[in-house]
Amino acid sequence: MPIVDPRTGDTISATAEPGTAHASTPQDSDLILEVDRSNIQQVLELSTRVPVLLDCWAPWCEPCKNLMPVLEKLVREYAGAFLLAKLNIDDNQEIAAQLGVRSVPDVKLISQGGLVDQFQGALPEKEIREWLSRYFQAPENASLSPEEQAEQALTVGDTATAGAIYAELIQQNPEQYSYMIQLARVRVAENRNDEARELLDALPPEERDAPAARGVRASIEFGEEAPDAEALAALEGREDSEANYLRALRQVADANYEEGLEGLLAVMKSDRTYGDDLARKTLLRVFDALGADHPLTVIYRRKLFALLY
């Protein structure tokens, strides 16, 4: 199997110096190989020249079958930054035992003959890209992951595309419950709240009660609690706590989160007693909906803390 220079993508002969061969686009035969006892030593030796991503899999493992095409896609995109080696653990039990493989899929990054890092399970493509970015510069021609494509579509209001992507990801990765939560988000954006609730209710209890799912439920509730256009028009000219609270709630329901958070904070500043401190409680629900790491959550938690203390 030819060796590929990770810096240039050039094929390297056993005696040539890196970069002296003619540049060419690496082919699958240059980048992907099957591993067994006849060549495992060669693979370890290759890792002193080019890092090797070792995919330990089994024919009976459905997540393995879903993960393998993703790894193949990535090794092609990186065009020689690393090689992909596939190890069927059923046919190579002794090697798998020596490598400490206890469950599959098990993906190991090997360099200089030693283990650098590893991950278990069929991670989403976006997470694998993030994992690879710790060790390799992303290729200039890197395509968006399906998760990124769906998020981009949802951002511009193309819920049909986003929903189709998440539905396919669920079919391919039924145990990646984050996709069900994301599809529920899409259904909320489409005002299909009953379908969103069904998706959330189908989650295992630990996922159903986690912040991500709670956040989607909060989004459904905001939409149902916020005044409709007619009720909003009836508030015209009113500047009391109730009117200001309902206007802020409508902003949140319409995903105008910064305006909504600012409005809720203003109600809280002017009238802490309104609705038994309802503005503060709703702020906390919005934080839940956005997620702890969302920039607006970070900013407005700080503002809320400053107001309280």
Side-chain angles (χ1 to χ4, degrees):
M1 186 204 77
I3 302 171
V4 177
D5 183 348
R7 296 169 299 176
T8 66
D10 296 346
T11 300
I12 308 169
S13 70
T15 56
E17 290 299 315
T20 59
H22 293 295
S24 61
T25 302
Q27 303 300 307
D28 279 7
S29 59
D30 299 321
L31 302 173
I32 304 171
L33 66 152
E34 302 289 339
V35 182
D36 56 32
R37 85 175 88 177
S38 71
N39 66 353
I40 182 64
Q41 192 58 44
Q42 180 193 13
V43 170
L44 294 176
E45 291 170 1
L46 280 174
S47 75
T48 65
R49 306 285 297 279
V50 183
V52 174
L53 206 61
L54 181 62
D55 177 23
C56 304
W57 68 285
W60 43 264
C61 169
E62 287 301 321
C64 296
K65 296 175 185 176
N66 295 325
L67 177 63
M68 194 174 292
V70 175
L71 297 180
E72 291 174 349
K73 171 187 173 182
L74 291 171
V75 76
R76 293 183 189 109
E77 277 192 18
Y78 276 80
F82 58 87
L83 306 179
L84 176 63
K86 306 177 189 177
L87 177 72
N88 181 334
I89 65 166
D90 282 2
D91 294 342
N92 299 277
Q93 296 182 23
E94 184 177 347
I95 297 174
Q98 290 172 349
L99 292 171
V101 178
R102 293 180 174 81
S103 64
V104 288
D106 185 333
V107 179
K108 303 177 185 293
L109 178 60
I110 299 172
S111 182
Q112 301 301 319
L115 179 66
V116 176
D117 201 354
Q118 64 186 47
F119 68 82
Q120 284 81 36
L123 297 183
E125 183 178 324
K126 183 179 179 182
E127 291 184 26
I128 298 174
R129 288 181 182 275
E130 291 169 355
W131 183 79
L132 287 171
S133 71
R134 302 176 198 169
Y135 308 102
F136 307 101
Q137 183 175 350
E140 292 181 2
N141 64 340
S143 59
L144 294 177
S145 67
E147 297 89 347
E148 290 168 330
Q149 293 174 37
E151 194 62 38
Q152 190 175 82
L154 188 57
T155 298
V156 299
D158 185 0
T159 55
T161 296
I165 293 172
Y166 285 128
E168 184 174 354
L169 287 170
I170 290 169
Q171 186 175 14
Q172 294 172 350
N173 306 275
E175 294 184 2
Q176 283 291 344
Y177 299 113
S178 62
Y179 295 143
M180 292 178 66
I181 295 171
Q182 293 304 322
L183 183 56
R185 279 182 62 212
V186 174
R187 296 296 179 249
V188 172
E190 295 172 326
N191 293 316
R192 296 159 65 179
N193 290 346
D194 288 344
E195 293 179 39
R197 281 195 178 93
E198 287 176 8
L199 285 163
L200 298 175
D201 290 343
L203 294 168
E206 64 275 13
E207 297 289 340
R208 196 183 311 145
D209 298 330
R214 290 203 316 269
V216 179
R217 286 192 190 276
S219 296
I220 296 172
E221 293 164 2
F222 292 140
E224 293 174 343
E225 294 169 15
D228 59 20
E230 184 178 349
L232 201 62
L235 299 174
E236 184 109 20
R238 287 179 52 184
E239 291 298 333
D240 56 280
S241 298
E242 180 185 40
N244 290 332
Y245 172 80
L246 290 173
R247 277 192 282 265
L249 192 60
R250 183 69 261 170
Q251 295 277 22
V252 170
D254 292 339
N256 298 321
Y257 294 114
E258 188 164 9
E259 294 89 341
L261 287 165
E262 200 62 48
L264 290 169
L265 201 64
V267 172
M268 188 180 163
K269 286 179 182 177
S270 64
D271 187 0
R272 282 291 301 276
T273 63
Y274 171 71
D276 192 21
D277 206 10
L278 184 58
R280 183 187 63 82
K281 294 174 182 175
T282 304
L283 275 166
L284 297 177
R285 290 169 60 205
V286 180
F287 297 158
D288 215 9
L290 292 175
D293 296 328
H294 194 285
L296 289 176
T297 299
V298 175
I299 292 169
Y300 280 88
R301 273 196 190 281
R302 193 178 300 125
K303 289 186 176 185
L304 176 60
F305 183 84
L307 183 61
L308 290 172
Y309 303 104

